[in-house]
């Protein structure tokens, strides 16, 4: 079975690979082509056939209805996770908690993957089970020593969807932990963070409600938990983590999702649920009108998720918040990002919004920008050169891509930078002292010896270049640029002199310096590393 969301297909540094990928993505007809037609169409699009893998990747994104930014997030996560058999929040670091693995499973399943199409799913599930404690709970922070109710509920929900029999004993332990650690309250039941806590929180309670609903919808604890969540709604319409404090977007999202699920299962009166949700809409709309208060990437992502739950994706402020996230993609699509609190949560938010938009006849055309690839590749795709990517992104046209291809193949940027570095070196070496010495040269023995030494050095250097390039013509052609710059510098800084020996000595010395520096830096690959987006 082919991958649902193909990733990782740019494996070699092909010039203009990203621009070609964007051209493919923006060719709507390509998504509908049969697989045997793709290769033939690539030539018509002005795209070399060796980019077949890129076309197939874009096709898989389109057919799975996964926006490119979400696919790129999966791409990044599959390169970063796991690290040394541990699912950490940051690339290359030791595992801190279980959150990154939990959200990866959630994102991959939401994109349509399964254990057959994404091997990392089962790896993540088995790693989470390996962190399970003796009481059946799953810890959030691996160094804390206690399991967390909300984390255990999230893992129970996700692993249930994998339909993997080997996980059943672990799932039973999670269910048992949740049912045994409910806290009885005057207005229902709730859950604290862990068994050593006594403060009931809405976040953990909401997650447990969803887990119990998906595991055993008839559990009487669900009705009591929903009764508690409705009772602690703030008068403003939102929910706080701890009742009595200021409501937040992410807590309101958790509770809204739980109430809607209980309503669908007829575990709460529809009128009561509708009143609570209407109040939540009013509160959230007020928050979105003042978006300056929502600056955090994770909180903005939760705002999008809450808007999808409350059917508010048509609101202009919500789309503005989504666009603001895309403007920050070079931060959250980066190996240095917090994969849990930035990369994964943003991708989930965009995917959930896209699913709602695609499922509505009235909204399916909204947010059309979500299907466009970013103009520049995300930082983790470091196979090309950033400067060249800028050149490719100047215009959306196939002829421009071919023109930049020719420009890149001639290495004009590297040659210019080599000349620039050589010119700087020449200006520093041929200083006022050297100038004063050369100005005094006469066509006598001293002047002749000076010219002879410079000529000998130049001939030796040209011989070295010829032996390196195995071509006299190529060596001389590569030295033409430095000679022109040397002559220009001499004309600018010292022109009134006889040709022999001062003027000839100046030109020869500067030519030698510029040519050596330019050739050495280019042949060593210095500018390849400087221009790279590593």
């Amino acid at each position: 079975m082919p991958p649902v969301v193909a990733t990782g297909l740019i494996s070699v540094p092909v010039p203009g690979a990203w621009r070609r990928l964007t051209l493919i993505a923006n060719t709507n007809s390509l998504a509908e082509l049969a697989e045997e037609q793709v290769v033939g169409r690539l030539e018509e699009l002005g795209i070399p056939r060796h980019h077949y893998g890129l076309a197939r990747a874009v096709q898989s994104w389109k057919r799975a209805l996964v926006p490119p930014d979400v696919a790129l997030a999966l791409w990044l996560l599959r390169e970063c996770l796991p690290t040394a058999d541990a699912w950490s929040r940051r690339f290359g670091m030791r595992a801190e908690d279980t959150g990154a693995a939990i959200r990866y499973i959630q994102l991959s399943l939401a994109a349509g993957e399964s254990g057959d199409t994404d091997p990392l799913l089962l790896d993540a599930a088995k790693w989470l089970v390996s962190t399970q404690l003796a009481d059946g709970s799953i810890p959030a922070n691996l160094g804390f020593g206690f399991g967390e109710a909300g984390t255990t509920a999230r893992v129970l929900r996700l692993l249930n969807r994998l339909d993997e029999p080997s996980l059943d004993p672990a799932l039973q332990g999670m269910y048992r932990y949740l049912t045994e650690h409910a806290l009885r309250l005057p207005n229902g039941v709730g859950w604290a963070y862990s068994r050593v806590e006594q403060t009931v929180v809405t976040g953990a309670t909401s997650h447990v409600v969803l887990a119990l609903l998906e595991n055993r919808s008839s559990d009487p604890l669900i009705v009591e938990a929903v009764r508690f969540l409705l009772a602690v709604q703030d008068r403003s319409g939102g929910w706080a983590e701890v009742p009595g404090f200021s409501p937040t977007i992410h807590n309101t999202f958790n509770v809204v999702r739980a109430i809607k699920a209980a309503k669908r299962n007829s575990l709460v009166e529809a009128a009561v649920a509708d009143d609570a949700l209407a109040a939540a809409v009013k509160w959230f709309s007020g928050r979105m009108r003042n978006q300056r208060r929502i600056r955090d990437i994770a909180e903005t992502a939760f705002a999008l998720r809450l808007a999808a739950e409350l059917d508010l994706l048509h609101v202009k402020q919500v789309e503005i918040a989504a666009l603001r996230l895309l403007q920050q993609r070079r931060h959250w699509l980066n190996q240095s990002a917090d994969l849990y609190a930035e990369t994964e949560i943003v991708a989930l938010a965009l995917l959930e919004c896209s699913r709602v938009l695609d499922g509505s006849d009235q909204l399916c055309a909204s947010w059309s920008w979500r299907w466009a690839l970013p103009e520049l590749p995300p930082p983790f795709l470091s196979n090309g050169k950033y400067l060249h990517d800028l050149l490719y992104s100047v215009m959306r046209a196939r002829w421009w891509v071919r023109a930049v291809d020719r420009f890149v193949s001639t290495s004009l940027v590297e040659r210019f930078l080599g000349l620039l570095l050589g010119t700087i070196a020449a200006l520093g070496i041929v200083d006022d002292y050297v100038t004063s010495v050369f100005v005094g040269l006469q066509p006598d023995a001293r002047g002749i010896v000076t010219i002879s030494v410079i000529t000998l050095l130049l001939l030796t250097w040209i011989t070295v270049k010829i032996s390196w390039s195995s071509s006299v013509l190529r060596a001389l052609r590569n030295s033409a640029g430095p000679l022109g710059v040397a002559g220009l510098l001499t004309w600018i800084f010292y022109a009134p002199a006889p040709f022999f020996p001062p003027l000839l000595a100046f030109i020869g010395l500067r030519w030698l310096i510029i040519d050596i520096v330019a050739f050495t830096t280019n042949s060593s690959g210095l500018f390849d590393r400087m221009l790279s987006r590593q």
Side-chain angles (χ1 to χ4, degrees), residues 151-388:
T151 302
T152 304
R154 293 169 68 196
V155 175
L156 176 60
R157 291 182 64 211
L158 293 171
L159 299 195
N160 258 328
R161 299 174 190 173
L162 291 177
D163 195 24
E164 174 60 40
S166 64
L167 301 177
D168 288 345
L171 298 178
Q172 293 171 6
M174 296 177 208
Y175 177 78
R176 185 172 58 252
Y177 172 85
L178 294 176
T179 54
E180 291 177 355
H181 290 84
L183 298 175
R184 300 287 173 178
L185 302 165
N187 53 2
V189 301
W191 281 261
Y193 287 125
S194 69
R195 59 184 174 83
V196 298
E197 300 275 354
Q198 294 299 311
T199 302
V200 175
V201 291
T202 60
T205 302
S206 301
H207 286 303
V208 174
V209 166
L210 292 172
L212 296 182
L213 272 171
E214 295 179 11
N215 195 67
R216 296 179 188 176
S217 60
S218 61
D219 197 308
L221 286 175
I222 301 173
V223 175
E224 291 298 300
V226 174
R227 186 162 70 88
F228 162 75
L229 292 174
L230 291 169
V232 298
Q233 185 176 22
D234 190 79
R235 286 182 298 178
S236 64
W239 278 268
E241 177 75 335
V242 178
F245 289 83
S246 299
T248 61
I249 287 178
H250 67 275
N251 284 306
T252 301
F253 164 76
N254 287 329
V255 178
V256 164
R257 193 169 50 165
I259 291 175
K260 289 184 67 176
K263 179 186 174 183
R264 286 193 299 271
N265 286 271
S266 302
L267 297 177
V268 61
E269 291 184 20
V272 174
D274 289 341
D275 288 344
L277 295 174
V281 168
K282 183 178 179 181
W283 174 81
F284 179 65
S285 299
R287 287 296 300 269
M288 293 306 293
R289 283 194 293 269
N290 186 12
Q291 292 194 27
R292 288 177 297 178
R293 298 170 59 187
I294 309 174
R295 298 182 179 275
D296 182 72
I297 287 180
E299 194 74 354
T300 305
F302 272 108
L304 297 186
R305 301 181 76 191
L306 179 54
E309 288 289 338
L310 295 175
D311 298 324
L312 294 176
L313 293 182
H314 62 279
V315 176
K316 188 64 178 177
Q317 289 89 344
V318 175
E319 185 175 2
I320 291 173
L323 287 169
R324 190 166 66 246
L325 279 181
L326 294 193
Q327 292 170 356
Q328 298 174 291
R329 61 161 61 95
R330 295 199 67 81
H331 179 78
W332 55 267
L333 280 179
N334 197 314
Q335 287 182 336
S336 63
D338 185 332
L339 303 177
Y340 169 75
E342 293 172 339
T343 305
E344 291 174 330
I345 190 60
V346 171
L348 274 170
L350 293 175
L351 183 56
E352 289 174 0
C353 289
S354 190
R355 291 286 192 250
V356 173
L357 293 168
D358 290 334
S360 170
D361 293 336
Q362 291 78 22
L363 296 175
C364 61
S366 299
W367 297 23
S368 58
W369 46 262
R370 61 195 159 110
W371 297 112
L373 284 173
E375 288 296 319
L376 293 174
F380 73 91
L381 290 178
S382 55
N383 288 324
K385 299 177 177 60
Y386 183 76
L387 179 60
H388 294 154

